C-alpha cells in the first residue's frame, strides 16, 4: 500500500506533541532552568594523545563565583563509563586519548565565569604522536591505547563456512572492490545537556537526554558510588538522538558537580563542543571479493571490515557484529569468509548511529551486486532475484530466523514500480543540456531488529487506571522525535475504543516507569505492541468485571469506550454506564495496576548478536548529475518496506523520510573530517548536512503489511530501515548516469566532473 494522507483515512493521527514542537512551546530537557542553578563546564584535552604531567586547579578554585573544580581524584566511585565496555574515563588521570577527553569540570555562578575558570586550570602535557588511522594503530610496535589489548584491537569478528578457496577457483567471474564510508555526525538539533538537581533527602534528579534512562542511572550510580534508587533520571522529550545520546555524555559531570555544590547544575554543550566530544558513525573500510558461477549465482564471498572506533569502545563491538552480519546482504552464499576488526585510534569517538553498522555493510554489498550484474550484462534487479535467500533459509549467520515473505514482496513491488521502470527504459533526455545526466539505481536490504542473541534485551510495560480515571501506560522508552507517543495513542485507542482524552502516557522517567529496555535497534514499537497485547486482556477484564458489579449487567454485555464502560452496541451519546473516573474509586490503587516483563525475541541458535526478526526494504533512486560541476542531486525515491502492520501511517512515513534524508547526507555530503586526529570540520558551518534545497521532493513510501498467520510479534520497528539502502541506490544511479563506479562516500564532485568537449577555433591551442 502506498502510504499517504489519502489512503490512511482516520489513522492519519496528528502527533500530540506536534503543536508544542512547531510553536517552540515544548520544553526540552536542556530548556529547563532552576532559580538556584549554577553552570557546569568541562575542560577537554587540547591534544589527541598526550601524557598528563600535572594539573593545577588552584587558580580556578580561588576565583570569585566558582563553586567547584573537579578532577579524577574527586570521583567517589568508578572513574569510567560505557554501556558495553566501561573504558572511557570520567576524568583522565594520566593520559588523554582524543581531543574530547575530559580533564576537569567546574561549576560557577554563570556560564561565562565557568569558562574563565576553565582557562585558569593549568595542565602540563607531554604530547605524543597520535594514532590517526587504523593502519597506524595496527602497525607493529604501535603504542597500545588501552591495557586490555592485544594491540589496539577492540573486537574481532568472523563468519566462515564452506570451502572459500576452492569456490573462488571455480568461479566464472570475480569482482574485487574496496569501499570506504564516512565519519557521519548525528547533527541533532538539541546538543547534549541537562539539569541536575540534588534534593534535601540526598537524591539526585537528572533531567538529561538519553535513549536509556535506566542504563544511565546504573552507570551514574557506579560513578557516584551510590544506590541506583538514589538517582532519578528523566529522559524525555529529546531533541534528536539517532544513537548519539545512547552513551553518557555530560551526565557524569553534571551529577558530580551538583552533588559537590548541593545546588542545581545546568550543562549544555555548544555545537562546537558537541562536535569535539560527541559520537559519530564508524568510518569503515570494507574490502570485498565476490565470485559467481557462469549462470550468475554467487558462490564465494570474502570480506574484510576495518572499523575506526576512536579512543574508546562505546558500542564499537556490537556495531562491528552488526556490520559483519549484514555484509552478506539478503543473499544465499554457500562459501563465506568474513573477518572484521574494530580498532582503537586517537580519532574522534565512533559509536551508535541509526543503522548500527548496517549502512556501511549494505552500501558495500549492494555495490558488489551491481558490479557483478554488469559483468553478466544482466538487469541488476534480476541478478538480485537469482541470488536472494529463500523464504525458509537461515539468516546471515546461519541462524534460524522468523519466516516471512518480506524479501520477495519488496523485490516484486520494486520490480513493478514506475521509478524502476525508468532504469529499464530510460526516458529521452533531449531537453536537458548535454552535461546533465540522469540515472536510476536500486538496492535491497534486510535489517535485523533488537539487540541480538546473547545480549540482555529486556522489555515490559505497565497498564493501569490511575487515580484521575485515565488509562495510563508506562514504558521506559523515550520520545526523541520518532512519534512514539502518537503511536501509543493509536494502539490504546484501538484496544479500548476510547478517546485520546482518556489516556495518560508516561515515558522516560525512572521513578514512574518500569524497565522496558532501551529505545534503540528499531525495537520500541514492537515491544510496546507486545506488552499491550499481554496486558490488554487482564486489564480489560478488571474494568468490565468491576463495572458489571456496579451496574448489574453481565460483563459479557459490556465494552470499553470513550469516557468509560458502555453496553455492547449502544455507544450513543447518553449511553455510558459508568465512567473510568467512577470505576477507579471502586478498589485500591494497586488493584488497577498490571505489569508485564519479557525479552525481545531472539534466534534459538547460540550465535552472539544474531537476529531473529528482520525488516526488508527495496529502494530506488533517480539522480541527476551535472558533469560540469560534479554535483549529484537526488530527484526521486521509492521506498518499499515490509515491516508488518502499519500502526501509525504518519509516523511510518516520517521515519522513512527522515532516514532517507539522513542517508542522503551520508551518501553525498557528510564527513566529519579529521587531520592528525583533530576535527577539521568543527561546526555545522563546515559540515554539510542536507537542507530543504537538497532534499528530494518526490519520496514514495510503500508498506507491505503482510505477516504470516498467527505471527505473535506484530509491527516491526522501522526507525532504521529508511536509512540503510539509499546510498547504494544513489551510487548505482550515478553509475547509470555517468558510468562512474563509486566506492567511497561521500561521493566527491571531482569524481563526477568530466571535461567539456568544445571544438577549438582555428589557430587556438589548448593551454
Amino acid at each position: 500500500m502506498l502510504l499517504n494522507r489519502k489512503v490512511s483515512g482516520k489513522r492519519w493521527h496528528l502527533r500530540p506533541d506536534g503543536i508544542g514542537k512547531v510553536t517552540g512551546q515544548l520544553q526540552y530537557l536542556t530548556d529547563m532552568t532552576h532559580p538556584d542553578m549554577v553552570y557546569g563546564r568541562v575542560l577537554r584535552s587540547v591534544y589527541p594523545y598526550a601524557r598528563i604531567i600535572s594539573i593545577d586547579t588552584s587558580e580556578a578554585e580561588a576565583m570569585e563565583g566558582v563553586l567547584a573544580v573537579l578532577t579524577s581524584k574527586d570521583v567517589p566511585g568508578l572513574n569510567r563509563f560505557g554501556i558495553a565496555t566501561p573504558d572511557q574515563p570520567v576524568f583522565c588521570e594520566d593520559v588523554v586519548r582524543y581531543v574530547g577527553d575530559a580533564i576537569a569540570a567546574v561549576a560557577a555562578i554563570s556560564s561565562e565565569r565557568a569558562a574563565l575558570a576553565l582557562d585558569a586550570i593549568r595542565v602540563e602535557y607531554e604530547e605524543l604522536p597520535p594514532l590517526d588511522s587504523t593502519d597506524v594503530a595496527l602497525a607493529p610496535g604501535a603504542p597500545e591505547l588501552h591495557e586490555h589489548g592485544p594491540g589496539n584491537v577492540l573486537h574481532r569478528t568472523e563468519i566462515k563456512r564452506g570451502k572459500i578457496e576452492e569456490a573462488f577457483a571455480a568461479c566464472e567471474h570475480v569482482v574485487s572492490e574496496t569501499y570506504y564510508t564516512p565519519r557521519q555526525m548525528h547533527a541533532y538539533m538539541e546538543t547534549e545537556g541537562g539539569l541536575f538537581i540534588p534534593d534535601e533527602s540526598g537524591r539526585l534528579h537528572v533531567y538529561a537526554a538519553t535513549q536509556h534512562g535506566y542504563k544511565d542511572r546504573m552507570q551514574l550510580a557506579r560513578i557516584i558510588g551510590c544506590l541506583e534508587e538514589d538517582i532519578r533520571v528523566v529522559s524525555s522529550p529529546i531533541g534528536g538522538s539517532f544513537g548519539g545520546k545512547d552513551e553518557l555524555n555530560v551526565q557524569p559531570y553534571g551529577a558530580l558537580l551538583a552533588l559537590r555544590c548541593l545546588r542545581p547544575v545546568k550543562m549544555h554543550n555548544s555545537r562546537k563542543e558537541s562536535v569535539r566530544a560527541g559520537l559519530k558513525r564508524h568510518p569503515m573500510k570494507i574490502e570485498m571479493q565476490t565470485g559467481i558461477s557462469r549462470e550468475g549465482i554467487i558462490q564465494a564471498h570474502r570480506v574484510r571490515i576495518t572499523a575506526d572506533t576512536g579512543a574508546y569502545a562505546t558500542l564499537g563491538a556490537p556495531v562491528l557484529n552488526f556490520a559483519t552480519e549484514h555484509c552478506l546482504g539478503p543473499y544465499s552464499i554457500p562459501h563465506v569468509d568474513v573477518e572484521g576488526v574494530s580498532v582503537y585510534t586517537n580519532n574522534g569517538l565512533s559509536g551508535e548511529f541509526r543503522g548500527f553498522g548496517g549502512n556501511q555493510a549494505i552500501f558495500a554489498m549492494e555495490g558488489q551486486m551491481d558490479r557483478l550484474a554488469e559483468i553478466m550484462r544482466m538487469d541488476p534487479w534480476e541478478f538480485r532475484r537469482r541470488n536472494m535467500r529463500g523464504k525458509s533459509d537461515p539468516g546471515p549467520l546461519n541462524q534460524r530466523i522468523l519466516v516471512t515473505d518480506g524479501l520477495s514482496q519488496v523485490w516484486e513491488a520494486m520490480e513493478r514500480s514506475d521509478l524502476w521502470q525508468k532504469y529499464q527504459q530510460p526516458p529521452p533526455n533531449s531537453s536537458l543540456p548535454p552535461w546533465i545526466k540522469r540515472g536510476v539505481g536500486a538496492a535491497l536490504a534486510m535489517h535485523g531488529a533488537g539487540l541480538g542473541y546473547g545480549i540482555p534485551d529486556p522489555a515490559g510495560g505497565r497498564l493501569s487506571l490511575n487515580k484521575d480515571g485515565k488509562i495510563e501506560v508506562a514504558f521506559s522508552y523515550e520520545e526523541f522525535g520518532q512519534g512514539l507517543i502518537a503511536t501509543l495513542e493509536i494502539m490504546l485507542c484501538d484496544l479500548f475504543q476510547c478517546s485520546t482524552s482518556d489516556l495518560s502516557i508516561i515515558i522516560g522517567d525512572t521513578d514512574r516507569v518500569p524497565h522496558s529496555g532501551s529505545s534503540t535497534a528499531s525495537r520500541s514499537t514492537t515491544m510496546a505492541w507486545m506488552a499491550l497485547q499481554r496486558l490488554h486482556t487482564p486489564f480489560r477484564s478488571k474494568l468490565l468485571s468491576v463495572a458489571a458489579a456496579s451496574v448489574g449487567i453481565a460483563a459479557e454485555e459490556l465494552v470499553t469506550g470513550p469516557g468509560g464502560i458502555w453496553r455492547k452496541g449502544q455507544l450513543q451519546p447518553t449511553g455510558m454506564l459508568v465512567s473510568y473516573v467512577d470505576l477507579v474509586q471502586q478498589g485500591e490503587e494497586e488493584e488497577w495496576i498490571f505489569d508485564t516483563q519479557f525479552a525481545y525475541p531472539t534466534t534459538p541458535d547460540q550465535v552472539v548478536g544474531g537476529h531473529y526478526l528482520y525488516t526488508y526494504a527495496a529502494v530506488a533512486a533517480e539522480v541527476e548529475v551535472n558533469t560540469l560541476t560534479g554535483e549529484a542531486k537526488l530527484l526521486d525515491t521509492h521506498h518499499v518496506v515490509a515491516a508488518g502492520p502499519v500502526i501509525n501511517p504518519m509516523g511510518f512515513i516520517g521515519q522513512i523520510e527522515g532516514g532517507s534524508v539522513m542517508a542522503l547526507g551520508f551518501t553525498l555530503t557528510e564527513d566529519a573530517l579529521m587531520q592528525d586526529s583533530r576535527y577539521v570540520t568543527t561546526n555545522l558551518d563546515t559540515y554539510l548536512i542536507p537542507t530543504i534545497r537538497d532534499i528530494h521532493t518526490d519520496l514514495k513510501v510503500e508498506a507491505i503489511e503482510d505477516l504470516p498467520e498467527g505471527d505473535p510479534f506484530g509491527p516491526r520497528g522501522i526507525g532504521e530501515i529508511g536509512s540503510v539502502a539509499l546510498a547504494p541506490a544513489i551510487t548505482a544511479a550515478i553509475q547509470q548516469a555517468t558510468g562512474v563506479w563509486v566506492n567511497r562516500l561521500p561521493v566527491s564532485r571531482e569524481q563526477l566532473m568530466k571535461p567539456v568537449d568544445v571544438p577549438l577555433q582555428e589557430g587556438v591551442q589548448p593551454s
Side-chain angles (χ1 to χ4, degrees):
M1 177 178 69
L2 199 62
L3 281 184
N4 53 44
R5 180 195 295 261
K6 185 177 179 181
V7 303
S8 299
K10 293 181 179 179
R11 300 186 71 80
W12 195 255
H13 187 86
L14 292 178
R15 300 177 60 134
D17 53 344
I19 292 176
K21 287 185 172 179
V22 299
T23 60
Q25 294 176 334
L26 181 71
Q27 189 175 57
Y28 289 94
L29 298 168
T30 48
D31 294 328
M32 296 181 67
T33 60
H34 191 283
D36 194 34
M37 72 183 188
V38 295
Y39 297 83
R41 298 284 296 266
V42 177
L43 179 69
R44 300 187 184 277
S45 170
V46 296
Y47 297 111
Y49 189 30
R51 208 167 277 121
I52 298 175
I53 307 300
S54 64
I55 304 173
D56 182 357
T57 61
S58 57
E59 186 179 343
E61 290 170 348
M63 290 178 65
E64 183 180 354
V66 173
L67 284 77
V69 181
L70 305 181
T71 63
S72 62
K73 66 182 187 320
D74 299 301
V75 179
L78 179 68
N79 187 32
R80 293 289 185 278
F81 64 91
I83 292 177
T85 306
D87 67 354
Q88 184 167 357
V90 177
F91 296 112
C92 293
E93 297 116 345
D94 50 5
V95 174
V96 294
R97 299 179 180 86
Y98 87 115
V99 290
D101 251 337
I103 297 170
V106 303
I109 58 173
S110 70
S111 182
E112 293 76 14
R113 179 66 59 174
L116 288 173
L118 293 187
D119 289 342
I121 298 173
R122 308 298 173 209
V123 183
E124 186 180 357
Y125 299 94
E126 178 190 354
E127 188 178 1
L128 302 169
L131 309 181
D132 61 356
S133 72
T134 55
D135 288 342
V136 172
L138 291 175
E144 293 190 2
L145 297 178
H146 295 275
E147 294 177 353
H148 52 75
N152 288 303
V153 173
L154 164 66
H155 183 59
R156 290 188 184 276
T157 57
E158 68 172 35
I159 310 171
K160 309 272 187 182
R161 60 173 177 257
K163 298 179 178 178
I164 194 74
E165 298 299 341
E166 295 176 20
F168 269 119
C171 285
E172 184 74 10
H173 303 287
V174 176
V175 162
S176 299
E177 184 63 275
T178 301
Y179 301 86
Y180 301 88
T181 62
R183 190 186 311 276
Q184 190 180 20
M185 185 156 51
H186 300 82
Y188 25 71
M189 293 180 70
E190 181 193 37
T191 56
E192 305 85 350
L195 186 63
F196 303 82
I197 306 176
D199 68 18
E200 294 178 352
S201 70
R203 287 194 87 208
L204 178 68
H205 301 257
V206 175
Y207 300 88
T210 178
Q211 291 182 214
H212 198 170
Y214 274 95
K215 278 285 186 185
D216 278 20
R217 193 179 75 159
M218 179 274 289
Q219 293 186 84
L220 287 175
R222 213 159 50 184
I223 292 167
I224 295 168
C226 68
L227 298 174
E228 290 188 38
E229 291 72 22
D230 292 339
I231 302 172
R232 173 194 182 193
V233 175
V234 178
S235 45
S236 284
I238 308 171
S241 176
F242 316 110
K245 295 171 185 166
D246 204 15
E247 297 275 4
L248 294 180
N249 41 77
V250 302
Q251 293 94 327
Y253 315 107
L256 291 169
L257 289 170
L259 292 173
R260 172 62 69 89
C261 300
L262 294 179
R263 287 178 65 172
V265 171
K266 179 160 184 169
M267 310 278 302
H268 197 179
N269 281 349
S270 65
R271 180 64 65 182
K272 192 170 184 177
E273 188 168 13
S274 176
V275 172
R276 180 179 179 180
L279 302 175
K280 312 291 182 295
R281 189 187 294 283
H282 280 80
M284 289 189 188
K285 172 185 175 185
I286 303 177
E287 302 165 88
M288 279 191 175
Q289 188 178 28
T290 311
I292 56 176
S293 67
R294 181 174 300 174
E295 294 76 26
I297 304 301
I298 300 176
Q299 299 298 313
H301 190 50
R302 178 181 286 123
V303 184
R304 297 292 181 265
I305 304 172
T306 306
D308 182 351
T309 202
Y312 300 106
T314 71
L315 291 175
V319 167
L320 181 66
N321 287 343
F322 201 91
T324 302
E325 178 182 358
H326 287 73
C327 72
L328 278 67
Y331 306 109
S332 293
I333 309 176
H335 304 278
V336 171
D337 173 13
V338 180
E339 295 178 4
V341 58
S342 186
V343 184
Y344 287 116
T345 67
N346 293 117
N347 293 329
L349 290 187
S350 304
E352 181 179 343
F353 203 126
R354 192 181 206 168
F356 209 73
N359 311 54
Q360 299 94 318
I362 293 166
F363 164 62
M365 185 62 201
E366 291 299 284
Q368 291 292 95
M369 300 303 285
D370 285 322
R371 286 160 174 79
L372 290 165
E374 174 80 1
I375 285 180
M376 290 292 295
R377 301 184 183 280
M378 183 184 293
D379 179 309
W381 209 240
E382 168 60 18
F383 181 78
R384 285 170 169 83
R385 187 197 64 77
R386 289 191 182 193
N387 286 284
M388 284 192 324
R389 59 180 298 278
K391 177 180 174 180
S392 301
D393 287 352
L397 304 177
N398 253 351
Q399 83 277 28
R400 279 171 283 179
I401 67 174
L402 193 73
V403 174
T404 77
D405 284 328
L407 183 59
S408 60
Q409 288 172 318
V410 298
W411 185 93
E412 291 167 4
M414 187 55 69
E415 171 73 359
R416 295 191 299 267
S417 79
D418 292 340
L419 185 52
W420 181 244
Q421 295 300 318
K422 281 188 177 182
Y423 172 87
Q424 297 167 326
Q425 298 176 332
N429 289 334
S430 56
S431 62
L432 297 175
W435 56 86
I436 299 294
K437 308 292 184 185
R438 288 183 176 177
V440 174
L444 196 60
M446 63 186 291
H447 200 264
L451 303 185
Y453 182 89
I455 303 170
D457 201 359
R462 177 176 302 149
L463 193 57
S464 62
L465 192 62
N466 70 19
K467 62 182 180 181
D468 298 322
K470 302 287 186 184
I471 298 173
E472 184 168 292
V473 65
F475 293 108
S476 68
Y477 307 130
E478 322 292 348
E479 172 59 62
F480 48 93
Q482 78 274 44
L484 176 63
I485 298 174
T487 301
L488 291 174
E489 279 191 346
I490 295 170
M491 288 182 186
L492 290 165
C493 288
D494 279 353
L495 285 175
F496 298 104
Q497 298 301 303
C498 61
S499 305
T500 55
S501 60
D502 297 321
L503 303 175
S504 172
I505 295 174
I506 310 295
I507 58 173
D509 182 341
T510 55
D511 271 12
R512 302 181 66 191
V513 301
H515 194 332
S516 42
S518 64
S519 300
T520 56
S522 302
R523 67 189 296 285
S524 299
T525 297
T526 302
M527 292 296 88
W529 185 87
M530 289 180 66
L532 290 176
Q533 296 301 309
R534 291 163 183 248
L535 294 168
H536 169 240
T537 298
F539 181 67
R540 180 175 173 276
S541 296
K542 174 71 175 178
L543 290 173
L544 298 185
S545 63
V546 174
S550 173
V551 300
I553 300 174
E556 293 75 20
E557 294 296 316
L558 303 177
V559 293
T560 57
I565 308 302
W566 303 65
R567 187 187 282 270
K568 278 183 181 174
Q570 295 185 9
L571 285 169
Q572 301 163 355
T574 58
M576 188 173 72
L577 298 173
V578 58
S579 70
Y580 297 126
V581 175
D582 290 335
L583 271 184
V584 77
Q585 307 301 323
Q586 302 178 38
E588 298 297 325
E589 182 177 349
E590 58 270 19
E591 295 177 14
W592 291 104
I593 299 174
F594 294 81
D595 281 290
T596 184
Q597 288 289 317
F598 55 103
Y600 195 91
T602 58
T603 175
D605 298 311
Q606 297 182 9
V607 180
V608 174
H611 292 83
Y612 187 55
L613 301 184
Y614 285 86
T615 304
Y616 300 89
V619 182
E622 182 179 23
V623 173
E624 180 177 280
V625 180
N626 183 329
T627 57
L628 291 181
T629 65
E631 179 186 17
K633 184 169 181 58
L634 183 59
L635 301 177
D636 193 0
T637 59
H638 186 174
H639 289 255
V640 184
V641 179
V646 175
I647 301 295
N648 178 1
M650 185 190 288
F652 194 107
I653 293 172
Q655 284 287 339
I656 302 303
E657 285 180 342
S660 185
V661 172
M662 185 168 270
L664 175 63
F666 175 68
T667 310
L668 294 183
T669 60
E670 295 189 44
D671 193 2
L673 295 171
M674 305 208 79
Q675 185 172 20
D676 300 328
S677 293
R678 298 172 187 269
Y679 282 106
V680 176
T681 49
T682 59
N683 214 327
L684 292 187
D685 56 357
T686 51
Y687 182 84
L688 300 178
I689 60 174
T691 70
I692 194 70
R693 291 173 59 87
D694 305 306
I695 294 171
H696 34 306
T697 52
D698 283 325
L699 196 160
K700 297 183 182 66
V701 178
E702 183 174 352
I704 306 289
E705 299 191 79
D706 298 346
L707 285 178
E709 186 175 349
D711 178 284
F713 306 114
R716 313 295 198 252
I718 44 89
E720 296 167 286
I721 194 71
S723 74
V724 299
L726 185 65
I730 289 176
T731 52
I734 288 173
Q735 196 281 329
Q736 191 191 32
T738 66
V740 175
W741 289 104
V742 173
N743 68 340
R744 184 186 292 268
L745 302 180
V747 181
S748 73
R749 290 193 174 201
E750 291 76 9
Q751 191 176 10
L752 305 183
M753 292 170 65
K754 293 186 177 179
V756 181
D757 185 14
V758 179
L760 300 176
Q761 294 180 353
E762 186 176 352
V764 176
Q765 296 296 322
S767 58

